[in-house]
């Protein structure tokens, strides 16, 4: 299908206090970002982690950067070593770091210095249940979340699990940044719909940049 808006300049949409959607912000860099994802996954492959409750996650995950997020039967943690390969997580590609810092700056967080990038891979049907990102030592740093490939419905709530949820469709190249007042807001991804993205195929990738350590 011809994409009439492929060349449209990025624009931003406020989401909540401290949170903004930078629409199409990563689109111009998608080829480099996808190639870098492949390079990371060649060293630390995508895997379906198991939560402390014994649930195998439908989203496949890997990491890059000094610290990587994992979960297993014992709990959630950030660590320098990939528990599967026994080696350090792959370095954070320059194009990742640059994009994350530019997006954070565009959202009002000019000093963001991420030390962790979680890479999520969703196939149709995969979802992420409602949760807070709260395993990080530095809650003054924002979360920068980059979407590539198939669209997904992102739910964004408040500080309490029962707070009303906004629903936003995240599409290829969209970046969500949340920090400040909304840093600990609950969020989720609804089950991915079937489809095939012209550049990415039957997948959605999400890069989540965080400052995990002091
Ligand atoms: C996350 O909450 O860690 C990822 C959200 C997303 O996939 O957009
Ligand atoms: Fe999250």
């Amino acid at each position: 299908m011809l994409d009439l808006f492929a060349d449209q300049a990025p624009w931003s949409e406020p989401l909540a206090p401290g949170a903004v959607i930078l629409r199409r912000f990563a689109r111009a860099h998608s080829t480099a970002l996808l190639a870098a994802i492949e390079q990371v996954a060649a060293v630390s492959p995508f895997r379906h982690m198991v939560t402390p409750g014994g649930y195998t996650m439908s989203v496949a995950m890997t990491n890059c950067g000094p610290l990587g997020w994992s979960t297993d039967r014992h709990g959630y943690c950030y660590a320098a070593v990939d528990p599967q390969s026994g080696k350090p997580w792959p370095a954070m590609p320059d194009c990742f770091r640059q994009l994350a810092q530019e997006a954070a700056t565009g959202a009002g967080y000019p000093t963001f210095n991420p030390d962790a990038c979680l890479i999520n891979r969703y196939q149709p049907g995969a979802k992420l249940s409602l949760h807070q990102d709260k395993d990080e030592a530095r809650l003054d740093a924002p979360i920068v979340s980059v979407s590539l490939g198939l669209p997904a419905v992102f739910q964004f709530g408040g500080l309490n699990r029962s707070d009303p949820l906004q629903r936003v469709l995240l599409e290829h190249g969209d970046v969500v940044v949340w920090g400040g007042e909304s840093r600990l807001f609950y969020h989720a991804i609804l089950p991915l719909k079937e489809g095939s993205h012209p550049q990415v195929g039957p997948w959605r990738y999400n890069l989540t940049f965080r400052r995990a350590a002091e």
Side-chain angles (χ1 to χ4, degrees):
M1 199 177 74
L2 186 63
D3 186 347
L4 296 172
F5 302 100
D7 296 326
Q8 191 175 350
W11 69 100
S12 63
E13 295 172 6
L15 179 63
V20 65
I21 309 175
L22 305 174
R23 294 287 188 189
R24 315 299 187 262
F25 193 86
R27 206 179 244 221
H29 307 288
S30 62
T31 304
L33 295 169
L34 290 162
I37 291 172
E38 237 176 82
Q39 284 167 7
V40 169
V43 177
S44 281
F46 285 99
R47 78 288 308 261
H48 293 272
M49 297 179 188
V50 178
T51 66
Y55 169 80
T56 300
M57 298 184 79
S58 58
V59 179
M61 298 177 170
T62 185
N63 289 275
C64 61
L67 292 171
W69 184 87
S70 297
T71 173
D72 64 16
R73 294 304 299 250
H74 307 290
Y76 307 104
C77 75
Y78 279 100
V81 168
D82 174 355
Q84 188 170 297
S85 70
K87 293 185 291 189
W89 294 104
M92 193 181 296
D94 288 340
C95 63
F96 276 30
R97 181 176 298 279
Q98 212 171 336
L99 175 71
Q101 288 179 330
E102 278 171 16
T105 300
Y109 302 96
T111 61
F112 185 48
N113 184 19
D115 59 6
C117 175
L118 173 66
I119 310 176
N120 294 313
R121 188 187 68 191
Y122 297 73
Q123 75 278 2
K127 66 177 172 68
L128 202 59
S129 311
L130 198 65
H131 68 280
Q132 295 170 292
D133 288 12
K134 57 176 184 188
D135 300 327
E136 298 75 31
R138 288 275 303 274
L139 295 176
D140 57 325
I143 304 287
V144 173
S145 166
V146 179
S147 294
L148 295 168
L150 287 176
V153 176
F154 180 61
Q155 292 183 313
F156 199 69
L159 280 176
N160 301 300
R161 185 173 278 280
S162 57
D163 286 339
L165 300 167
Q166 300 188 61
R167 279 170 166 247
V168 292
L169 189 69
L170 296 182
E171 297 182 84
H172 183 61
D174 289 349
V175 180
V176 185
V177 182
W178 66 97
E181 263 185 71
S182 57
R183 174 61 181 76
L184 288 174
F185 279 16
Y186 276 90
H187 55 281
I189 292 285
L190 295 185
L192 205 71
K193 286 208 177 123
E194 293 286 343
S196 183
H197 185 273
Q199 192 185 355
V200 182
W203 309 102
R204 170 178 185 260
Y205 291 101
N206 167 258
L207 313 175
T208 305
F209 296 92
R210 306 177 176 124
R211 181 75 199 181
E214 295 289 333

